[in-house]
Amino acid sequence: MNLTNLRKDFPILNEKVNNKPLVYLDNAATTQKPLCVIEAMSNYYLHLNSNVHRGVHTLSQQATTEFEHVRKSVQTFLNSKEQEEIIFTRGTTESINLVASSFSEAFIKEGDEIIVSELEHHSNIVPWQIIAQRKKAILRVIPFNDNGELDLNVYKTLLNEKTKIVSVAHVSNALGTVNPIKEIITLAHNKNIPVLIDGAQGVPHYKIDVQDLDCDFYCFSGHKLYAPMGVGIVYGKRKFLEAMPPYHGGGEMIKEVRFSGTTFNEIPYKFEAGTPSVADVLGLKAAIDYVNSIGFETIQKHEDELMQYTTKKLLEVGDITIYGNAKQKAGSLSFNLNGVHPFDVGTLLDQLGIAIRTGHHCAQPVMQHYDIVGTARVSFAIYTTKEEIDYFIESLKRVKQILL
Ligand code: PMP
């Protein structure tokens, strides 16, 4: 992979921040967008803008055709059996809320149990807490050890005939842990329990094959995969989607509306009420094409090298605690300079042009596990270079001199 050429695809990487060249290490929060994605969106507004699915006029039909091409493209990207199993949402958060809300209406009753894990993003905790409260169901939690790895022995004991769904992250945004999702899915399926995978941090780093994983739902956000904000995906197995009631009511999700009663559309439209964010959806296709043109083998190799290199260099700085030492990690590396608040580290690095994330990363239970207020987190993308990591490490040494 020629990184110099690849970086030219991302105009924002030439920006200066605080008079220093931008070093963007906050990719787990959102990735930068290549020009092809920006052009796909502007092309829509320049040449194609019209509402989808409803018009007989040419522009609307063209927009609809392009929009539905993206569904096909996501189907191929995730290797789902059918394109009707692909639902457009605004992002992972909406995707998980959709499943939690609709699945629970069909399948969860008082006394039932839902399993999540201790290392989830709030987006994969709070929707289930709301459902548990609404349905008088019980939320069970798979704990993780100090390395940031889920305790599968406890998980096995949590699975029982009352368990109605398991919902876990593919990759932790706070610790970088890659969870053994295939094993988690198999163990649940042995008891006929469906599994949702929060793929927000999985999709940017790994080739996903939902048929091979055999997960029942897989959710992700476009914006962490070089696509625009405002578009996300629910993959769901047909048998579940058909049995689940609609999430939102409105246009497009109906067959016929009468005051005596409304009938609902087929999947996936049953779950797609209202005007979608068409330009963002088209941007998602451009991002998928872009990522495919690089290839996941190349992406993974590059990011694994960065993870190992950064971990080694960070520890050499001294007075550093790394949170999460799982055997398999991807994307994110969380640490603290001992005795220093992560905000101070982040603020000083920002003065040097380096964008990292500090805080609880919307995973407060992870912070509670380690009894800390937060961490500093660096996260990688395909355009991250070793030179940027070297600059980050040198800058961190300066920060350490100032603060310790
Ligand atoms: N799950 C995980 C693991 C995440 O990292 C994030 C985003 N930080 C989300 C869910 C929520 O994604 P979004 O804000 O795009 O809906």
Side-chain angles (χ1 to χ4, degrees):
M1 179 167 68
N2 184 331
L3 268 180
T4 314
N5 278 347
L6 184 143
R7 285 175 67 87
K8 288 189 193 136
D9 297 333
F10 295 83
I12 202 171
L13 297 179
N14 294 322
E15 289 292 309
K16 292 216 155 136
V17 170
N18 293 322
N19 289 322
K20 300 280 191 308
L22 167 65
V23 171
Y24 186 77
L25 297 174
D26 194 17
N27 295 287
T30 198
T31 52
Q32 301 301 347
K33 318 306 171 201
L35 209 49
C36 60
V37 167
I38 299 166
E39 282 169 358
M41 295 168 71
S42 63
N43 185 56
Y44 168 74
Y45 283 119
L46 288 169
H47 303 295
L48 216 58
N49 180 49
S50 54
N51 211 330
V52 289
H53 293 139
R54 284 158 223 183
V56 290
H57 65 81
T58 305
L59 269 194
S60 174
Q61 286 185 2
Q62 281 174 348
T64 304
T65 305
E66 296 285 314
F67 182 85
E68 289 300 327
H69 273 161
V70 187
R71 202 184 303 277
K72 181 80 198 146
S73 163
V74 176
Q75 180 203 348
T76 309
F77 183 62
L78 296 179
N79 192 32
S80 73
K81 212 186 271 173
E82 304 171 69
Q83 70 185 59
E84 289 79 9
E85 294 173 321
I86 304 297
I87 300 162
F88 291 114
T89 64
R90 284 186 298 136
T92 310
T93 303
E94 190 177 62
S95 296
I96 297 175
N97 275 279
L98 183 158
V99 177
S101 174
S102 295
F103 180 90
S104 67
E105 266 321 290
F107 296 107
I108 295 181
K109 57 180 189 325
E110 187 171 344
D112 284 345
E113 299 183 7
I114 299 159
I115 297 180
V116 297
S117 92
E118 190 187 4
L119 53 64
E120 299 308 315
H121 187 280
H122 298 162
S123 292
N124 196 26
I125 298 174
V126 184
W128 299 110
Q129 282 180 322
I130 291 172
I131 292 309
Q133 211 170 14
R134 195 176 291 161
K135 294 278 172 182
K136 298 196 174 69
I138 299 152
L139 200 63
R140 302 277 184 215
V141 183
I142 315 166
F144 63 83
N145 63 24
D146 285 349
N147 280 338
E149 292 166 324
L150 293 183
D151 187 333
L152 292 195
N153 286 326
V154 175
Y155 171 55
K156 285 176 203 162
T157 68
L158 294 178
L159 292 164
N160 66 61
E161 66 286 351
K162 286 191 183 148
T163 314
K164 288 292 144 55
I165 191 161
V166 175
S167 190
V168 291
H170 189 170
V171 176
S172 155
N173 69 310
L175 301 174
T177 310
V178 181
N179 288 324
I181 52 171
K182 220 170 164 174
E183 198 179 343
I184 289 171
I185 293 163
T186 305
L187 286 166
H189 282 184
N190 287 344
K191 297 204 149 102
N192 278 326
I193 301 162
V195 180
L196 180 151
I197 302 297
D198 170 357
Q201 303 291 348
V203 151
H205 309 295
Y206 294 107
K207 174 85 197 94
I208 307 301
D209 182 333
V210 291
Q211 290 190 72
D212 178 55
L213 284 173
D214 200 25
C215 55
D216 302 278
F217 301 97
Y218 195 99
C219 303
F220 74 92
S221 299
H223 72 94
K224 293 177 199 281
L225 182 74
Y226 312 99
M229 293 177 177
V231 55
I233 296 294
V234 174
Y235 154 77
K237 280 185 185 161
R238 176 183 277 277
K239 66 173 177 183
F240 288 112
L241 294 180
E242 281 186 340
M244 285 158 51
Y247 176 46
H248 291 149
E252 193 55 38
M253 50 74 71
I254 52 88
K255 235 184 216 141
E256 194 178 31
V257 177
R258 290 175 186 274
F259 283 111
S260 55
T262 288
T263 49
F264 302 126
N265 210 335
E266 309 290 333
I267 64 165
Y269 307 111
K270 180 172 83 174
F271 294 105
E272 292 182 355
T275 301
S277 195
V278 181
D280 299 326
V281 169
L282 300 189
L284 175 61
K285 177 168 188 311
I288 287 174
D289 291 345
Y290 184 79
V291 168
N292 281 337
S293 75
I294 297 167
F296 273 97
E297 241 174 74
T298 308
I299 293 171
Q300 230 174 294
K301 184 166 173 292
H302 176 64
E303 291 175 351
D304 282 351
E305 278 171 19
L306 287 172
M307 179 67 85
Q308 279 170 27
Y309 185 72
T310 314
T311 305
K312 179 168 159 286
K313 289 280 171 185
L314 252 183
L315 290 172
E316 283 169 12
V317 172
D319 292 308
I320 293 283
T321 303
I322 290 179
Y323 297 93
N325 292 297
K327 278 181 215 80
Q328 211 189 344
K329 284 175 71 172
S332 297
L333 210 176
S334 255
F335 69 95
N336 271 330
L337 194 52
N338 296 337
V340 174
H341 198 290
F343 287 179
D344 295 338
V345 175
T347 306
L348 288 176
L349 288 175
D350 178 55
Q351 295 304 308
L352 301 169
I354 302 170
I356 65 160
R357 183 136 298 236
T358 58
H360 55 63
H361 315 296
C362 293
Q364 286 183 0
V366 173
M367 305 304 132
Q368 287 150 14
H369 179 106
Y370 292 110
D371 196 19
I372 51 176
V373 290
T375 72
R377 181 188 74 185
V378 291
S379 50
F380 315 115
I382 44 179
Y383 42 70
T384 309
T385 64
K386 275 195 177 161
E387 290 71 30
E388 287 182 303
I389 299 301
D390 288 339
Y391 176 66
F392 156 68
I393 294 289
E394 286 317 305
S395 305
L396 189 63
K397 285 180 185 163
R398 284 172 65 185
V399 168
K400 183 182 161 185
Q401 274 174 353
I402 296 167
L403 293 175
L404 282 185

